[in-house]
Amino acid sequence: MFLFLALFRRDLADIMWVAGGITLTAGLVSAGYDALIRLVAPEGVVVVSDI
């Protein structure tokens, strides 16, 4: 969404920045959640994540 708006719809700059912020926030929340799961996992448990 961010790239589409940046390349083709520069008149919608506000929405572009909101979409970029949501994307960045979602990525940080996801990485934090994964780190938390690894932190609280019992010793010897392998945490597998799908990519």
Side-chain angles (χ1 to χ4, degrees):
M1 181 67 123
F2 181 81
L3 289 175
F4 174 79
L5 292 174
L7 294 174
F8 301 110
R9 296 296 308 262
R10 291 194 174 244
D11 58 315
L12 299 174
D14 293 340
I15 296 172
M16 177 182 70
W17 290 113
V18 169
I22 290 171
T23 301
L24 181 63
T25 302
L28 291 173
V29 167
S30 177
Y33 180 74
D34 289 345
L36 182 63
I37 293 297
R38 286 187 181 92
L39 183 66
V40 300
E43 188 108 8
V45 171
V46 177
V47 178
V48 178
S49 62
D50 296 331
I51 296 177

